[in-house]
Amino acid sequence: MKKTGIFFVLLLAAGLLQAQEKAPTPPMGYMTWNFYADKITEHDIRDIADAMSANGLLQAGFNYIFIDDGWQGGRDNKNNMIPDPKKFPSGMKALCDYVHSKGLKLGIYSDAAQLTCAGYTASLGFEDQDAKTFAAWGIDYLKYDYCDAPDDWQTAIQRYSKMANALAHSGRDIVFGICEWGNRSPWLWAKKSGGQLWRISADIRDKWQSKVAPKEPNDLHRTGAGILDVLDINTKLSTYAAPGGWNDPDMLVVGLYGRKGPSGDLGGTGCTDIEYQSQMSLWCLLASPLMISCDVTNMNEATKKILYNKDLIDIDQDPLGVQGESKFRKDNWQVVVKPLANGDVAVGILNRGDQPGTFSVALADMGLPFAYQAKDVWSKQTSSWNKALTLKIDAHETKVYRLHKK
Ligand code: GLA
């Protein structure tokens, strides 16, 4: 190979390696939007940081706090972005220092246009300056939205690449979350454009499923995306996820219980604990970023049981970084299978129907050719799986097993 050829191969390898270092497994943390909307303050962030470091969420792997829209206070006379002085009187640097002192990382939000989705100052035309400002504050993650921006792909790719490049030259490692809701198939270009994760759907609402079946994914912006709607988009995208680049099916609505606010809009009247358990199960099987959005300063026992499930988090964070695939679909039954680094396999069985039922299947029909020792990650019981399986599963329930070949 010619010298220039070798140089480019090395450059490409270095680029890929850098992307993997930034998000080798799907990012996990707390996102402020669904609970606080644009009323978020530094006081809230400190409370969240205190809660997460004291209640075990940080220890379970949720190590980011992502500040969403509403923190901005415009620009100063040098055009530097500033936080709203009423909501963030101590400034972002002091807040970053506080969050870091608790062992957590801090994410922030902006948009590739003049205004954000909630109408606040955004970053178009100020990418380099804003990236440097975020880096100087100590920010570790940027969610970059796409409201108020043109529809075409080319402009989106250009604007996202511009900010990715600005972050790369900011002097700090900042993970880049692309949020254009899947409208321009970001799974095809987001990683090349410098993103480590990309939203794949309209905003998720606190509900199981859109009442009106969407003719195409874009309809969900109007009808409101539920857990099943987003699942159905994500199961088609498994091949695009890998260490360093993840499909992002949006926040966990676990524990919101129909709260008013963004997740309560468009029919988001709340889910049952079984449905929340399903969301956590399916998000982990699909190697999704895990962004909690309920009130982490005051969670009930059911919510904690769902969010702290170590066996499931291990499946989500498995270093092989494979997004599970939908391997079986018949009537209301759906099976997602995710290979794991140590040779084990994670299997999720979802009852999409509105009635409890009995699922009977030959293991081979789910692509499982061996006999296995199976651990139910919810009940923690183990059993033997040989050739076939019969299970009782509640309406909207997902059972998850970690299989070890016998
Ligand atoms: C968009 C995003 C949401 C949230 C809001 C903030 O709707 O998709 O996740 O960030 O903007 O305004």
Side-chain angles (χ1 to χ4, degrees):
M1 202 185 290
K2 280 201 185 132
K3 267 191 189 153
T4 45
I6 296 174
F7 176 74
F8 280 118
V9 169
L10 286 177
L11 206 67
L12 193 73
L16 284 177
L17 213 65
Q18 205 197 16
Q20 287 186 21
E21 276 166 11
K22 277 192 183 166
T25 60
M28 294 171 63
Y30 180 75
M31 191 164 272
T32 56
W33 185 242
N34 281 341
F35 193 78
Y36 299 91
D38 68 343
K39 306 282 180 290
I40 187 70
T41 67
E42 72 174 42
H43 189 80
D44 299 325
I45 299 292
R46 282 170 183 256
D47 283 351
I48 295 165
D50 291 348
M52 289 175 77
S53 55
N55 68 12
L57 278 178
L58 169 62
Q59 294 71 11
F62 294 93
N63 63 346
Y64 278 96
I65 299 176
F66 307 100
I67 305 179
D68 209 289
D69 208 353
W71 63 270
Q72 310 88 328
R75 296 186 181 276
D76 67 12
N77 56 11
K78 293 199 177 101
N79 276 330
N80 293 315
M81 233 193 199
I82 49 167
D84 181 316
K86 287 213 183 74
K87 296 175 184 165
F88 293 85
S90 318
M92 280 296 173
K93 170 87 175 70
L95 189 57
C96 267
D97 289 348
Y98 186 78
V99 168
H100 289 159
S101 78
K102 294 279 167 177
L104 288 147
K105 300 178 184 189
L106 193 62
I108 209 158
Y109 167 99
S110 193
D111 187 296
Q114 260 150 19
L115 294 177
T116 68
C117 296
Y120 292 84
T121 303
S123 292
L124 183 67
F126 295 93
E127 291 84 354
D128 289 325
Q129 192 170 349
D130 290 356
K132 289 212 169 81
T133 301
F134 299 152
W137 288 341
I139 292 291
D140 306 291
Y141 180 105
L142 175 66
K143 171 176 177 178
Y144 207 43
D145 219 332
Y146 203 65
C147 280
D148 207 28
D151 278 343
D152 65 285
W153 287 43
Q154 218 189 349
T155 309
I157 294 173
Q158 200 189 11
R159 290 189 184 187
Y160 279 108
S161 304
K162 181 114 201 261
M163 184 47 106
N165 195 38
L167 293 174
H169 293 98
S170 70
R172 189 171 171 86
D173 268 348
I174 298 180
V175 173
F176 191 36
I178 288 179
C179 180
E180 60 74 76
W181 326 290
N183 292 8
R184 285 148 287 262
S185 307
W187 40 90
L188 298 176
W189 51 264
K191 195 169 178 178
K192 267 188 271 170
S193 305
Q196 282 78 50
L197 52 159
W198 45 88
R199 281 273 302 278
I200 57 160
S201 73
D203 294 2
I204 194 164
R205 310 293 165 170
D206 187 8
K207 63 181 182 179
W208 181 242
Q209 188 171 22
S210 168
K211 283 218 167 60
V212 190
K215 287 207 187 73
E216 50 158 319
N218 265 349
D219 294 347
L220 292 167
H221 287 286
R222 269 184 306 104
T223 63
I227 293 168
L228 270 197
D229 305 302
V230 180
L231 172 75
D232 289 343
I233 295 173
N234 205 5
T235 47
K236 296 192 183 79
L237 302 176
S238 298
T239 53
Y240 298 103
W246 308 101
N247 292 308
D248 174 6
D250 205 5
M251 292 167 254
L252 294 167
V253 289
V254 178
L256 282 161
Y257 298 109
R259 184 195 152 74
K260 283 206 177 70
S263 58
D265 290 345
L266 299 176
T269 52
C271 296
T272 64
D273 285 328
I274 285 187
E275 292 166 341
Y276 288 142
Q277 181 172 315
S278 271
Q279 189 194 21
M280 181 71 178
S281 300
L282 295 159
W283 265 227
C284 289
L285 286 157
L286 292 172
S288 308
L290 299 176
M291 303 183 179
I292 299 171
S293 68
C294 65
D295 181 5
V296 283
T297 67
N298 184 21
M299 292 179 286
N300 67 14
E301 285 312 307
T303 301
K304 285 190 196 160
K305 193 171 156 256
I306 294 169
L307 295 175
Y308 290 64
N309 189 320
K310 181 173 182 332
D311 290 318
L312 258 182
I313 293 173
D314 284 350
I315 290 170
D316 180 73
Q317 296 290 304
D318 185 79
L320 195 59
V322 172
Q323 175 169 327
E325 278 185 51
S326 187
K327 288 283 190 192
F328 179 95
R329 182 76 203 270
K330 195 174 171 210
D331 305 324
N332 286 321
W333 301 109
Q334 181 165 15
V335 178
V336 177
V337 176
K338 182 186 199 290
L340 303 173
N342 71 344
D344 287 0
V345 183
V347 178
I349 304 171
L350 161 67
N351 178 1
R352 300 172 63 106
D354 298 333
Q355 299 299 325
T358 303
F359 179 59
S360 291
V361 69
L363 296 191
D365 289 348
M366 301 187 288
L368 301 170
F370 305 109
Y372 303 89
Q373 193 68 31
K375 179 178 181 188
D376 178 329
V377 309
W378 288 110
S379 74
K380 310 295 180 199
Q381 282 170 355
T382 51
S383 56
S384 271
W385 284 20
N386 297 301
K387 291 206 167 99
L389 184 70
T390 299
L391 290 169
K392 283 200 163 50
I393 308 187
D394 262 338
H396 301 180
E397 185 186 11
T398 304
K399 288 206 179 283
V400 183
Y401 299 87
R402 185 172 179 127
L403 307 185
H404 186 70
K405 196 177 137 194
K406 278 206 217 163

